[in-house]
PDB file of all heavy atoms in Angstrom:
ATOM      1  N   LEU U   1      -1.847  23.630   2.147  1.00 88.00           N
ATOM      2  CA  LEU U   1      -1.601  23.163   3.550  1.00 88.00           C
ATOM      3  C   LEU U   1      -1.598  21.649   3.632  1.00 88.00           C
ATOM      4  O   LEU U   1      -0.702  21.078   4.315  1.00 88.00           O
ATOM      5  CB  LEU U   1      -2.694  23.727   4.467  1.00 88.00           C
ATOM      6  CG  LEU U   1      -2.709  25.203   4.647  1.00 88.00           C
ATOM      7  CD1 LEU U   1      -3.938  25.651   5.510  1.00 88.00           C
ATOM      8  CD2 LEU U   1      -1.467  25.728   5.295  1.00 88.00           C
ATOM      9  N   LYS U   2      -2.452  21.003   2.974  1.00 85.00           N
ATOM     10  CA  LYS U   2      -2.534  19.514   2.988  1.00 85.00           C
ATOM     11  C   LYS U   2      -1.231  18.959   2.442  1.00 85.00           C
ATOM     12  O   LYS U   2      -0.738  17.912   3.004  1.00 85.00           O
ATOM     13  CB  LYS U   2      -3.751  19.000   2.238  1.00 85.00           C
ATOM     14  CG  LYS U   2      -5.070  19.220   2.851  1.00 85.00           C
ATOM     15  CD  LYS U   2      -6.147  18.689   1.975  1.00 85.00           C
ATOM     16  CE  LYS U   2      -7.555  18.959   2.544  1.00 85.00           C
ATOM     17  NZ  LYS U   2      -8.640  18.516   1.638  1.00 85.00           N
ATOM     18  N   GLN U   3      -0.772  19.510   1.344  1.00 85.00           N
ATOM     19  CA  GLN U   3       0.396  18.966   0.705  1.00 85.00           C
ATOM     20  C   GLN U   3       1.638  19.134   1.671  1.00 85.00           C
ATOM     21  O   GLN U   3       2.445  18.233   1.799  1.00 85.00           O
ATOM     22  CB  GLN U   3       0.647  19.757  -0.604  1.00 85.00           C
ATOM     23  CG  GLN U   3       1.911  19.265  -1.332  1.00 85.00           C
ATOM     24  CD  GLN U   3       2.161  20.168  -2.577  1.00 85.00           C
ATOM     25  OE1 GLN U   3       1.367  21.055  -2.898  1.00 85.00           O
ATOM     26  NE2 GLN U   3       3.203  19.783  -3.325  1.00 85.00           N
ATOM     27  N   HIS U   4       1.667  20.287   2.322  1.00 85.00           N
ATOM     28  CA  HIS U   4       2.864  20.438   3.215  1.00 85.00           C
ATOM     29  C   HIS U   4       2.781  19.799   4.545  1.00 85.00           C
ATOM     30  O   HIS U   4       3.745  19.551   5.157  1.00 85.00           O
ATOM     31  CB  HIS U   4       3.065  21.994   3.371  1.00 85.00           C
ATOM     32  CG  HIS U   4       3.713  22.607   2.186  1.00 85.00           C
ATOM     33  ND1 HIS U   4       2.967  22.928   0.994  1.00 85.00           N
ATOM     34  CD2 HIS U   4       4.963  22.937   1.831  1.00 85.00           C
ATOM     35  CE1 HIS U   4       3.755  23.479   0.103  1.00 85.00           C
ATOM     36  NE2 HIS U   4       5.023  23.458   0.595  1.00 85.00           N
ATOM     37  N   LEU U   5       1.584  19.423   4.935  1.00 83.00           N
ATOM     38  CA  LEU U   5       1.404  18.675   6.157  1.00 83.00           C
ATOM     39  C   LEU U   5       1.779  17.212   5.948  1.00 83.00           C
ATOM     40  O   LEU U   5       2.155  16.568   6.870  1.00 83.00           O
ATOM     41  CB  LEU U   5      -0.109  18.728   6.643  1.00 83.00           C
ATOM     42  CG  LEU U   5      -0.449  19.980   7.375  1.00 83.00           C
ATOM     43  CD1 LEU U   5      -1.951  20.013   7.630  1.00 83.00           C
ATOM     44  CD2 LEU U   5       0.328  20.149   8.675  1.00 83.00           C
ATOM     45  N   ASN U   6       1.706  16.737   4.673  1.00 75.00           N
ATOM     46  CA  ASN U   6       2.081  15.385   4.431  1.00 75.00           C
ATOM     47  C   ASN U   6       3.551  15.177   4.135  1.00 75.00           C
ATOM     48  O   ASN U   6       4.021  14.171   3.531  1.00 75.00           O
ATOM     49  CB  ASN U   6       1.214  14.833   3.212  1.00 75.00           C
ATOM     50  CG  ASN U   6      -0.183  14.668   3.519  1.00 75.00           C
ATOM     51  OD1 ASN U   6      -0.520  14.426   4.703  1.00 75.00           O
ATOM     52  ND2 ASN U   6      -1.047  14.874   2.557  1.00 75.00           N
ATOM     53  N   VAL U   7       4.364  16.176   4.494  1.00 64.00           N
ATOM     54  CA  VAL U   7       5.792  16.088   4.289  1.00 64.00           C
ATOM     55  C   VAL U   7       6.446  14.912   5.019  1.00 64.00           C
ATOM     56  O   VAL U   7       7.378  14.324   4.592  1.00 64.00           O
ATOM     57  CB  VAL U   7       6.499  17.417   4.753  1.00 64.00           C
ATOM     58  CG1 VAL U   7       7.937  17.254   4.787  1.00 64.00           C
ATOM     59  CG2 VAL U   7       6.051  18.545   3.829  1.00 64.00           C
ATOM     60  N   ALA U   8       5.875  14.412   6.137  1.00 61.00           N
ATOM     61  CA  ALA U   8       6.340  13.368   6.882  1.00 61.00           C
ATOM     62  C   ALA U   8       6.353  12.049   6.096  1.00 61.00           C
ATOM     63  O   ALA U   8       7.121  11.156   6.350  1.00 61.00           O
ATOM     64  CB  ALA U   8       5.589  13.125   8.152  1.00 61.00           C
ATOM     65  N   GLY U   9       5.508  11.970   5.054  1.00 64.00           N
ATOM     66  CA  GLY U   9       5.525  10.792   4.223  1.00 64.00           C
ATOM     67  C   GLY U   9       4.495   9.804   4.606  1.00 64.00           C
ATOM     68  O   GLY U   9       3.715  10.020   5.561  1.00 64.00           O
ATOM     69  N   PRO U  10       4.569   8.620   3.964  1.00 65.00           N
ATOM     70  CA  PRO U  10       3.597   7.609   4.233  1.00 65.00           C
ATOM     71  C   PRO U  10       3.747   6.959   5.620  1.00 65.00           C
ATOM     72  O   PRO U  10       4.831   7.118   6.187  1.00 65.00           O
ATOM     73  CB  PRO U  10       3.777   6.587   3.116  1.00 65.00           C
ATOM     74  CG  PRO U  10       5.118   6.915   2.633  1.00 65.00           C
ATOM     75  CD  PRO U  10       5.493   8.284   2.808  1.00 65.00           C
ATOM     76  N   GLU U  11       2.841   6.202   5.970  1.00 72.00           N
ATOM     77  CA  GLU U  11       2.913   5.488   7.313  1.00 72.00           C
ATOM     78  C   GLU U  11       4.032   4.460   7.186  1.00 72.00           C
ATOM     79  O   GLU U  11       4.396   3.949   6.167  1.00 72.00           O
ATOM     80  CB  GLU U  11       1.568   4.733   7.559  1.00 72.00           C
ATOM     81  CG  GLU U  11       0.422   5.633   7.676  1.00 72.00           C
ATOM     82  CD  GLU U  11       0.506   6.419   9.029  1.00 72.00           C
ATOM     83  OE1 GLU U  11       0.983   5.947  10.028  1.00 72.00           O
ATOM     84  OE2 GLU U  11       0.189   7.595   8.955  1.00 72.00           O
ATOM     85  N   THR U  12       4.608   4.079   8.315  1.00 75.00           N
ATOM     86  CA  THR U  12       5.708   3.176   8.461  1.00 75.00           C
ATOM     87  C   THR U  12       5.334   1.854   7.846  1.00 75.00           C
ATOM     88  O   THR U  12       6.148   1.217   7.180  1.00 75.00           O
ATOM     89  CB  THR U  12       6.087   2.970   9.939  1.00 75.00           C
ATOM     90  OG1 THR U  12       6.347   4.257  10.438  1.00 75.00           O
ATOM     91  CG2 THR U  12       7.318   2.101  10.042  1.00 75.00           C
ATOM     92  N   ALA U  13       4.122   1.364   8.082  1.00 78.00           N
ATOM     93  CA  ALA U  13       3.695   0.069   7.499  1.00 78.00           C
ATOM     94  C   ALA U  13       3.752   0.152   5.929  1.00 78.00           C
ATOM     95  O   ALA U  13       4.127  -0.846   5.336  1.00 78.00           O
ATOM     96  CB  ALA U  13       2.337  -0.329   7.996  1.00 78.00           C
ATOM     97  N   ASP U  14       3.270   1.255   5.409  1.00 82.00           N
ATOM     98  CA  ASP U  14       3.298   1.404   3.968  1.00 82.00           C
ATOM     99  C   ASP U  14       4.779   1.385   3.446  1.00 82.00           C
ATOM    100  O   ASP U  14       5.065   0.732   2.419  1.00 82.00           O
ATOM    101  CB  ASP U  14       2.664   2.718   3.574  1.00 82.00           C
ATOM    102  CG  ASP U  14       1.208   2.723   3.838  1.00 82.00           C
ATOM    103  OD1 ASP U  14       0.582   1.630   4.031  1.00 82.00           O
ATOM    104  OD2 ASP U  14       0.612   3.857   3.933  1.00 82.00           O
ATOM    105  N   VAL U  15       5.609   2.065   4.171  1.00 84.00           N
ATOM    106  CA  VAL U  15       7.035   2.104   3.756  1.00 84.00           C
ATOM    107  C   VAL U  15       7.667   0.701   3.787  1.00 84.00           C
ATOM    108  O   VAL U  15       8.310   0.262   2.856  1.00 84.00           O
ATOM    109  CB  VAL U  15       7.882   3.076   4.660  1.00 84.00           C
ATOM    110  CG1 VAL U  15       9.318   2.950   4.357  1.00 84.00           C
ATOM    111  CG2 VAL U  15       7.340   4.514   4.391  1.00 84.00           C
ATOM    112  N   GLU U  16       7.370  -0.032   4.869  1.00 86.00           N
ATOM    113  CA  GLU U  16       7.901  -1.375   4.924  1.00 86.00           C
ATOM    114  C   GLU U  16       7.378  -2.253   3.830  1.00 86.00           C
ATOM    115  O   GLU U  16       8.114  -3.073   3.210  1.00 86.00           O
ATOM    116  CB  GLU U  16       7.586  -1.936   6.347  1.00 86.00           C
ATOM    117  CG  GLU U  16       8.421  -1.363   7.448  1.00 86.00           C
ATOM    118  CD  GLU U  16       9.893  -1.523   7.246  1.00 86.00           C
ATOM    119  OE1 GLU U  16      10.383  -2.635   6.891  1.00 86.00           O
ATOM    120  OE2 GLU U  16      10.585  -0.472   7.414  1.00 86.00           O
ATOM    121  N   ALA U  17       6.070  -2.183   3.544  1.00 90.00           N
ATOM    122  CA  ALA U  17       5.489  -2.952   2.523  1.00 90.00           C
ATOM    123  C   ALA U  17       6.155  -2.634   1.148  1.00 90.00           C
ATOM    124  O   ALA U  17       6.397  -3.562   0.336  1.00 90.00           O
ATOM    125  CB  ALA U  17       4.008  -2.735   2.382  1.00 90.00           C
ATOM    126  N   LEU U  18       6.369  -1.342   0.937  1.00 90.00           N
ATOM    127  CA  LEU U  18       6.950  -0.943  -0.326  1.00 90.00           C
ATOM    128  C   LEU U  18       8.460  -1.367  -0.457  1.00 90.00           C
ATOM    129  O   LEU U  18       8.909  -1.806  -1.455  1.00 90.00           O
ATOM    130  CB  LEU U  18       6.902   0.616  -0.501  1.00 90.00           C
ATOM    131  CG  LEU U  18       5.515   1.169  -0.733  1.00 90.00           C
ATOM    132  CD1 LEU U  18       5.553   2.623  -0.740  1.00 90.00           C
ATOM    133  CD2 LEU U  18       5.009   0.669  -2.093  1.00 90.00           C
ATOM    134  N   ARG U  19       9.150  -1.314   0.708  1.00 92.00           N
ATOM    135  CA  ARG U  19      10.512  -1.869   0.667  1.00 92.00           C
ATOM    136  C   ARG U  19      10.595  -3.335   0.417  1.00 92.00           C
ATOM    137  O   ARG U  19      11.448  -3.863  -0.352  1.00 92.00           O
ATOM    138  CB  ARG U  19      11.184  -1.550   2.104  1.00 92.00           C
ATOM    139  CG  ARG U  19      11.604  -0.149   2.276  1.00 92.00           C
ATOM    140  CD  ARG U  19      12.298   0.088   3.532  1.00 92.00           C
ATOM    141  NE  ARG U  19      12.683   1.500   3.695  1.00 92.00           N
ATOM    142  CZ  ARG U  19      12.899   2.122   4.792  1.00 92.00           C
ATOM    143  NH1 ARG U  19      12.810   1.432   5.909  1.00 92.00           N
ATOM    144  NH2 ARG U  19      13.208   3.372   4.772  1.00 92.00           N
ATOM    145  N   LEU U  20       9.673  -4.116   0.983  1.00 93.00           N
ATOM    146  CA  LEU U  20       9.601  -5.496   0.664  1.00 93.00           C
ATOM    147  C   LEU U  20       9.301  -5.774  -0.755  1.00 93.00           C
ATOM    148  O   LEU U  20       9.929  -6.632  -1.378  1.00 93.00           O
ATOM    149  CB  LEU U  20       8.489  -6.125   1.609  1.00 93.00           C
ATOM    150  CG  LEU U  20       8.301  -7.638   1.428  1.00 93.00           C
ATOM    151  CD1 LEU U  20       9.572  -8.448   1.756  1.00 93.00           C
ATOM    152  CD2 LEU U  20       7.152  -8.150   2.292  1.00 93.00           C
ATOM    153  N   GLN U  21       8.365  -4.985  -1.307  1.00 96.00           N
ATOM    154  CA  GLN U  21       8.005  -5.185  -2.720  1.00 96.00           C
ATOM    155  C   GLN U  21       9.222  -4.817  -3.624  1.00 96.00           C
ATOM    156  O   GLN U  21       9.502  -5.504  -4.590  1.00 96.00           O
ATOM    157  CB  GLN U  21       6.840  -4.288  -3.039  1.00 96.00           C
ATOM    158  CG  GLN U  21       6.272  -4.443  -4.499  1.00 96.00           C
ATOM    159  CD  GLN U  21       5.128  -3.560  -4.766  1.00 96.00           C
ATOM    160  OE1 GLN U  21       4.787  -2.724  -3.934  1.00 96.00           O
ATOM    161  NE2 GLN U  21       4.474  -3.792  -5.827  1.00 96.00           N
ATOM    162  N   VAL U  22       9.967  -3.796  -3.317  1.00 96.00           N
ATOM    163  CA  VAL U  22      11.071  -3.432  -4.032  1.00 96.00           C
ATOM    164  C   VAL U  22      12.179  -4.526  -4.023  1.00 96.00           C
ATOM    165  O   VAL U  22      12.769  -4.849  -5.026  1.00 96.00           O
ATOM    166  CB  VAL U  22      11.731  -2.050  -3.570  1.00 96.00           C
ATOM    167  CG1 VAL U  22      13.130  -1.869  -4.139  1.00 96.00           C
ATOM    168  CG2 VAL U  22      10.781  -0.927  -3.929  1.00 96.00           C
ATOM    169  N   SER U  23      12.381  -5.119  -2.869  1.00 96.00           N
ATOM    170  CA  SER U  23      13.302  -6.208  -2.674  1.00 96.00           C
ATOM    171  C   SER U  23      12.999  -7.354  -3.507  1.00 96.00           C
ATOM    172  O   SER U  23      13.768  -7.963  -4.185  1.00 96.00           O
ATOM    173  CB  SER U  23      13.421  -6.508  -1.182  1.00 96.00           C
ATOM    174  OG  SER U  23      14.339  -7.621  -1.044  1.00 96.00           O
ATOM    175  N   GLU U  24      11.693  -7.672  -3.488  1.00 97.00           N
ATOM    176  CA  GLU U  24      11.183  -8.843  -4.216  1.00 97.00           C
ATOM    177  C   GLU U  24      11.334  -8.664  -5.727  1.00 97.00           C
ATOM    178  O   GLU U  24      11.750  -9.461  -6.445  1.00 97.00           O
ATOM    179  CB  GLU U  24       9.704  -9.186  -3.883  1.00 97.00           C
ATOM    180  CG  GLU U  24       9.492  -9.729  -2.468  1.00 97.00           C
ATOM    181  CD  GLU U  24       8.089  -9.835  -2.106  1.00 97.00           C
ATOM    182  OE1 GLU U  24       7.187  -9.306  -2.885  1.00 97.00           O
ATOM    183  OE2 GLU U  24       7.781 -10.343  -1.003  1.00 97.00           O
ATOM    184  N   LEU U  25      11.028  -7.455  -6.170  1.00 97.00           N
ATOM    185  CA  LEU U  25      11.190  -7.072  -7.591  1.00 97.00           C
ATOM    186  C   LEU U  25      12.605  -7.080  -8.013  1.00 97.00           C
ATOM    187  O   LEU U  25      12.905  -7.417  -9.159  1.00 97.00           O
ATOM    188  CB  LEU U  25      10.486  -5.741  -7.843  1.00 97.00           C
ATOM    189  CG  LEU U  25       8.933  -5.722  -7.753  1.00 97.00           C
ATOM    190  CD1 LEU U  25       8.313  -4.400  -7.905  1.00 97.00           C
ATOM    191  CD2 LEU U  25       8.337  -6.666  -8.800  1.00 97.00           C
ATOM    192  N   GLN U  26      13.492  -6.602  -7.134  1.00 97.00           N
ATOM    193  CA  GLN U  26      14.922  -6.585  -7.537  1.00 97.00           C
ATOM    194  C   GLN U  26      15.384  -8.049  -7.713  1.00 97.00           C
ATOM    195  O   GLN U  26      16.176  -8.337  -8.606  1.00 97.00           O
ATOM    196  CB  GLN U  26      15.754  -5.898  -6.416  1.00 97.00           C
ATOM    197  CG  GLN U  26      15.624  -4.405  -6.472  1.00 97.00           C
ATOM    198  CD  GLN U  26      16.358  -3.705  -5.337  1.00 97.00           C
ATOM    199  OE1 GLN U  26      16.446  -4.298  -4.211  1.00 97.00           O
ATOM    200  NE2 GLN U  26      16.704  -2.450  -5.538  1.00 97.00           N
ATOM    201  N   GLN U  27      14.980  -8.912  -6.845  1.00 97.00           N
ATOM    202  CA  GLN U  27      15.378 -10.332  -6.986  1.00 97.00           C
ATOM    203  C   GLN U  27      14.795 -10.944  -8.265  1.00 97.00           C
ATOM    204  O   GLN U  27      15.467 -11.650  -8.960  1.00 97.00           O
ATOM    205  CB  GLN U  27      14.836 -11.140  -5.748  1.00 97.00           C
ATOM    206  CG  GLN U  27      15.548 -10.848  -4.482  1.00 97.00           C
ATOM    207  CD  GLN U  27      14.910 -11.560  -3.331  1.00 97.00           C
ATOM    208  OE1 GLN U  27      13.915 -12.178  -3.394  1.00 97.00           O
ATOM    209  NE2 GLN U  27      15.579 -11.452  -2.126  1.00 97.00           N
ATOM    210  N   LYS U  28      13.582 -10.494  -8.616  1.00 97.00           N
ATOM    211  CA  LYS U  28      12.952 -10.999  -9.834  1.00 97.00           C
ATOM    212  C   LYS U  28      13.641 -10.580 -11.031  1.00 97.00           C
ATOM    213  O   LYS U  28      13.913 -11.277 -12.032  1.00 97.00           O
ATOM    214  CB  LYS U  28      11.491 -10.582  -9.873  1.00 97.00           C
ATOM    215  CG  LYS U  28      10.645 -11.104 -11.025  1.00 97.00           C
ATOM    216  CD  LYS U  28      10.429 -12.582 -10.970  1.00 97.00           C
ATOM    217  CE  LYS U  28       9.545 -13.020 -11.958  1.00 97.00           C
ATOM    218  NZ  LYS U  28       9.318 -14.484 -11.979  1.00 97.00           N
ATOM    219  N   VAL U  29      14.130  -9.287 -11.049  1.00 97.00           N
ATOM    220  CA  VAL U  29      14.925  -8.720 -12.147  1.00 97.00           C
ATOM    221  C   VAL U  29      16.195  -9.507 -12.307  1.00 97.00           C
ATOM    222  O   VAL U  29      16.536  -9.862 -13.400  1.00 97.00           O
ATOM    223  CB  VAL U  29      15.134  -7.237 -11.925  1.00 97.00           C
ATOM    224  CG1 VAL U  29      16.252  -6.668 -12.860  1.00 97.00           C
ATOM    225  CG2 VAL U  29      13.876  -6.444 -12.095  1.00 97.00           C
ATOM    226  N   GLU U  30      16.860  -9.663 -11.171  1.00 97.00           N
ATOM    227  CA  GLU U  30      18.148 -10.476 -11.269  1.00 97.00           C
ATOM    228  C   GLU U  30      17.929 -11.856 -11.809  1.00 97.00           C
ATOM    229  O   GLU U  30      18.640 -12.375 -12.601  1.00 97.00           O
ATOM    230  CB  GLU U  30      18.793 -10.642  -9.875  1.00 97.00           C
ATOM    231  CG  GLU U  30      19.322  -9.325  -9.399  1.00 97.00           C
ATOM    232  CD  GLU U  30      19.892  -9.348  -7.948  1.00 97.00           C
ATOM    233  OE1 GLU U  30      20.048 -10.498  -7.438  1.00 97.00           O
ATOM    234  OE2 GLU U  30      20.064  -8.313  -7.337  1.00 97.00           O
ATOM    235  N   GLN U  31      16.834 -12.541 -11.392  1.00 97.00           N
ATOM    236  CA  GLN U  31      16.502 -13.876 -11.888  1.00 97.00           C
ATOM    237  C   GLN U  31      16.233 -13.858 -13.357  1.00 97.00           C
ATOM    238  O   GLN U  31      16.751 -14.703 -14.074  1.00 97.00           O
ATOM    239  CB  GLN U  31      15.272 -14.393 -11.155  1.00 97.00           C
ATOM    240  CG  GLN U  31      14.753 -15.716 -11.649  1.00 97.00           C
ATOM    241  CD  GLN U  31      13.419 -16.099 -11.015  1.00 97.00           C
ATOM    242  OE1 GLN U  31      12.888 -15.344 -10.151  1.00 97.00           O
ATOM    243  NE2 GLN U  31      12.835 -17.115 -11.543  1.00 97.00           N
ATOM    244  N   LEU U  32      15.480 -12.846 -13.794  1.00 97.00           N
ATOM    245  CA  LEU U  32      15.157 -12.759 -15.250  1.00 97.00           C
ATOM    246  C   LEU U  32      16.340 -12.420 -16.131  1.00 97.00           C
ATOM    247  O   LEU U  32      16.511 -12.888 -17.229  1.00 97.00           O
ATOM    248  CB  LEU U  32      14.039 -11.746 -15.468  1.00 97.00           C
ATOM    249  CG  LEU U  32      12.644 -12.129 -14.940  1.00 97.00           C
ATOM    250  CD1 LEU U  32      11.701 -10.963 -15.005  1.00 97.00           C
ATOM    251  CD2 LEU U  32      12.162 -13.378 -15.711  1.00 97.00           C
ATOM    252  N   GLN U  33      17.295 -11.544 -15.482  1.00 97.00           N
ATOM    253  CA  GLN U  33      18.488 -11.253 -16.266  1.00 97.00           C
ATOM    254  C   GLN U  33      19.361 -12.469 -16.402  1.00 97.00           C
ATOM    255  O   GLN U  33      19.946 -12.732 -17.504  1.00 97.00           O
ATOM    256  CB  GLN U  33      19.270 -10.136 -15.535  1.00 97.00           C
ATOM    257  CG  GLN U  33      18.652  -8.756 -15.706  1.00 97.00           C
ATOM    258  CD  GLN U  33      19.335  -7.679 -14.842  1.00 97.00           C
ATOM    259  OE1 GLN U  33      20.036  -8.014 -13.783  1.00 97.00           O
ATOM    260  NE2 GLN U  33      19.188  -6.475 -15.221  1.00 97.00           N
ATOM    261  N   ASP U  34      19.472 -13.337 -15.342  1.00 97.00           N
ATOM    262  CA  ASP U  34      20.223 -14.570 -15.391  1.00 97.00           C
ATOM    263  C   ASP U  34      19.626 -15.480 -16.435  1.00 97.00           C
ATOM    264  O   ASP U  34      20.319 -16.168 -17.192  1.00 97.00           O
ATOM    265  CB  ASP U  34      20.318 -15.238 -14.032  1.00 97.00           C
ATOM    266  CG  ASP U  34      21.179 -14.439 -13.053  1.00 97.00           C
ATOM    267  OD1 ASP U  34      21.964 -13.593 -13.485  1.00 97.00           O
ATOM    268  OD2 ASP U  34      21.047 -14.735 -11.864  1.00 97.00           O
ATOM    269  N   GLU U  35      18.305 -15.550 -16.421  1.00 97.00           N
ATOM    270  CA  GLU U  35      17.617 -16.485 -17.354  1.00 97.00           C
ATOM    271  C   GLU U  35      17.827 -16.010 -18.725  1.00 97.00           C
ATOM    272  O   GLU U  35      18.056 -16.767 -19.698  1.00 97.00           O
ATOM    273  CB  GLU U  35      16.124 -16.454 -17.054  1.00 97.00           C
ATOM    274  CG  GLU U  35      15.275 -17.434 -17.902  1.00 97.00           C
ATOM    275  CD  GLU U  35      13.817 -17.433 -17.472  1.00 97.00           C
ATOM    276  OE1 GLU U  35      13.459 -16.963 -16.401  1.00 97.00           O
ATOM    277  OE2 GLU U  35      13.017 -17.752 -18.351  1.00 97.00           O
ATOM    278  N   ASN U  36      17.800 -14.715 -18.968  1.00 97.00           N
ATOM    279  CA  ASN U  36      17.983 -14.067 -20.290  1.00 97.00           C
ATOM    280  C   ASN U  36      19.433 -14.503 -20.785  1.00 97.00           C
ATOM    281  O   ASN U  36      19.557 -14.819 -21.937  1.00 97.00           O
ATOM    282  CB  ASN U  36      17.844 -12.595 -20.252  1.00 97.00           C
ATOM    283  CG  ASN U  36      17.812 -11.903 -21.568  1.00 97.00           C
ATOM    284  OD1 ASN U  36      17.970 -12.588 -22.588  1.00 97.00           O
ATOM    285  ND2 ASN U  36      17.603 -10.617 -21.539  1.00 97.00           N
ATOM    286  N   LYS U  37      20.426 -14.354 -19.910  1.00 96.00           N
ATOM    287  CA  LYS U  37      21.827 -14.657 -20.307  1.00 96.00           C
ATOM    288  C   LYS U  37      21.936 -16.111 -20.674  1.00 96.00           C
ATOM    289  O   LYS U  37      22.581 -16.527 -21.684  1.00 96.00           O
ATOM    290  CB  LYS U  37      22.752 -14.320 -19.139  1.00 96.00           C
ATOM    291  CG  LYS U  37      23.054 -12.914 -18.980  1.00 96.00           C
ATOM    292  CD  LYS U  37      24.051 -12.736 -17.789  1.00 96.00           C
ATOM    293  CE  LYS U  37      24.171 -11.300 -17.472  1.00 96.00           C
ATOM    294  NZ  LYS U  37      25.064 -11.013 -16.287  1.00 96.00           N
TER     295      LYS U  37
END
């Protein structure tokens, strides 16, 4: 029941924080790839 009640997913603030983190990490990856080249 607990597992299926959490289908809605994490809180909006958590999602936004994770999106920001993903964006920052994508930029870091691009920067490191350029530096590597």
Side-chain angles (χ1 to χ4, degrees):
L1 294 175
K2 287 178 183 178
Q3 180 183 2
H4 285 80
L5 280 173
N6 290 330
V7 170
E11 295 293 320
T12 305
D14 294 339
V15 171
E16 287 304 314
L18 289 172
R19 284 184 180 156
L20 179 62
Q21 185 178 11
V22 165
S23 177
E24 291 171 353
L25 290 172
Q26 286 173 334
Q27 290 175 356
K28 184 71 173 176
V29 166
E30 290 175 15
Q31 175 190 353
L32 291 172
Q33 286 174 336
D34 291 343
E35 183 180 341
N36 190 358
K37 285 179 186 177

